[in-house]
Amino acid sequence: MVEPILKWAGGKRQLLSEITGRFPVEFERYHEPFVGGGAVYFHIEPDGGSINDLNDRLVTLYETIRDRDPDDLIAENRSHEHSEEYYYDARDDFNELREVDEKTAAERLREASLFIYLNRTCFNGLYRENNSGEFNVPVGRYANPDWVQADRVRALHDALQGTSIHNEDFEYVREAASAGDLVYFDPPYEPVSTTADFTDYHAEGFDRDDQRRLRDLAVDLDEMGVSVVLSNSPPVAELYEGVEQFTVHVVEATRAINSDADNRGEVAEVLITNVAEGTQRRKTLSEYQ
């Protein structure tokens, strides 16, 4: 198991056994179209397959970790400083790099390193963009944050070898997956109240129509012989009512990252899957018996 390099709102560390327990015991390739912090992907360390995210800066980070000598990124990480003034200068640099269409190798390395630094020093480890696509989270209060992350950079470099990395709409997986593969979807969640909103992770958001497109894709993948597991908030369950191939399970998760401290703690989530219960890892492997 490899530890993720980023803190991530909605990350699945607390639900790893619940999620992976519903994976089939055997599958060919693994695909994760909303990889985010990659807790599930790096936990199972699949041999090949694909990851994807609409956040192009996150994709740059994973491509840099996969393709560059790990020591290059580690050295760049060591160049940062721990001060409020430096944080806001780094945030400005990070947002300015977003405007560069054709980045040099040095600029891509710098952007990847700034991503790690900001994630490890910003308020509560949040990633949030404004309507202009600018990262706008304020500085956090940490005594001794570790943004170098040398061991994790090296471990993720090894784990990502052979992995195809995409920066596309989630429907890319329709072409990438084939019979016998496994797809795990962890999209931006449907809000559970009028004040809850997980869609500001990316400036373009993720609305109810996107949730319907995702359901339709899940049904198509099922018809292709692809195993599908999907996590979301309870309101999404109604979209799968009457879709007999899929079952819905309610689980409890701990949320440690939220801009509102009152909304941290235990929350209900749903896991939706077409994997037959008798072939799920939790039912067939001794560790789940």
Side-chain angles (χ1 to χ4, degrees):
M1 180 180 73
V2 178
E3 291 291 329
I5 199 166
L6 301 174
K7 302 176 184 179
W8 209 253
K12 291 299 179 289
R13 294 192 195 191
Q14 300 296 327
L15 282 177
L16 285 173
S17 62
E18 292 280 4
I19 293 168
T20 61
R22 289 175 170 82
F23 286 0
V25 174
E26 296 182 356
F27 53 87
E28 297 297 328
R29 296 176 301 154
Y30 176 82
H31 308 275
E32 196 167 330
F34 302 92
V35 71
V40 176
Y41 187 89
F42 295 121
H43 177 74
I44 66 173
E45 294 186 67
D47 184 13
S50 71
I51 59 175
N52 175 73
D53 207 280
L54 274 183
N55 187 319
D56 54 352
R57 289 180 277 197
L58 180 62
V59 168
T60 294
L61 170 61
Y62 288 139
E63 288 178 338
T64 299
I65 292 173
R66 181 192 64 184
D67 299 338
R68 292 290 298 255
D69 184 325
D71 289 338
D72 293 343
L73 181 56
I74 292 167
E76 186 71 24
N77 290 350
R78 294 189 192 281
S79 71
H80 302 304
E81 302 173 11
H82 185 32
S83 73
E84 183 170 334
E85 181 180 5
Y86 182 87
Y87 174 89
Y88 286 107
D89 287 343
R91 194 178 73 171
D92 288 344
D93 289 347
F94 186 63
N95 286 326
E96 287 173 6
L97 281 168
R98 184 180 185 276
E99 303 302 318
V100 180
D101 292 330
E102 297 293 333
K103 297 182 181 67
T104 65
E107 288 171 331
R108 286 173 60 83
L109 181 68
R110 175 68 173 170
E111 184 176 52
S113 180
L114 286 169
F115 199 130
I116 298 171
Y117 168 78
L118 293 169
N119 176 263
R120 289 286 165 176
T121 55
C122 72
F123 175 73
N124 204 36
L126 287 170
Y127 186 90
R128 183 184 63 202
E129 294 180 352
N130 61 23
N131 290 334
S132 299
E134 295 177 331
F135 177 74
N136 65 354
V137 181
V139 67
R141 303 298 177 192
Y142 302 98
N144 189 30
D146 176 15
W147 59 76
V148 177
Q149 296 288 308
D151 290 342
R152 294 187 185 185
V153 169
R154 294 189 177 98
L156 266 63
H157 170 77
D158 292 339
L160 285 169
Q161 298 307 305
T163 300
S164 175
I165 302 176
H166 299 256
N167 180 211
E168 306 176 46
D169 181 82
F170 62 85
E171 293 207 38
Y172 88 95
V173 80
R174 191 191 305 275
E175 302 298 326
S178 56
D181 288 359
L182 168 65
V183 177
Y184 169 58
F185 291 110
D186 182 32
Y189 278 15
E190 181 85 359
V192 296
S193 71
T194 56
T195 58
D197 185 5
F198 285 10
T199 62
D200 57 1
Y201 151 72
H202 191 273
E204 296 179 10
F206 198 87
D207 60 21
R208 190 69 167 178
D209 287 340
D210 292 314
Q211 299 286 3
R212 293 190 184 94
R213 281 202 300 126
L214 179 53
R215 176 206 55 201
D216 294 344
L217 174 60
V219 171
D220 290 346
L221 290 172
D222 174 79
E223 293 175 352
M224 292 166 54
V226 175
S227 295
V228 176
V229 177
L230 182 146
S231 53
N232 215 306
S233 57
V236 167
E238 67 184 40
L239 294 178
Y240 293 81
E241 292 177 358
V243 184
E244 62 182 15
Q245 307 97 305
F246 289 86
T247 56
V248 178
H249 309 268
V250 179
V251 296
E252 296 292 326
T254 301
R255 284 282 164 260
I257 297 179
N258 194 298
S259 57
D260 182 352
D262 293 336
N263 287 329
R264 298 174 198 153
E266 293 291 322
V267 296
E269 298 195 13
V270 294
L271 297 179
I272 302 167
T273 183
N274 69 342
V275 180
E277 186 167 327
T279 65
Q280 294 175 11
R281 290 186 176 192
R282 67 194 182 101
K283 292 294 185 180
T284 57
L285 298 183
S286 59
E287 67 181 289
Y288 296 107
Q289 294 175 347

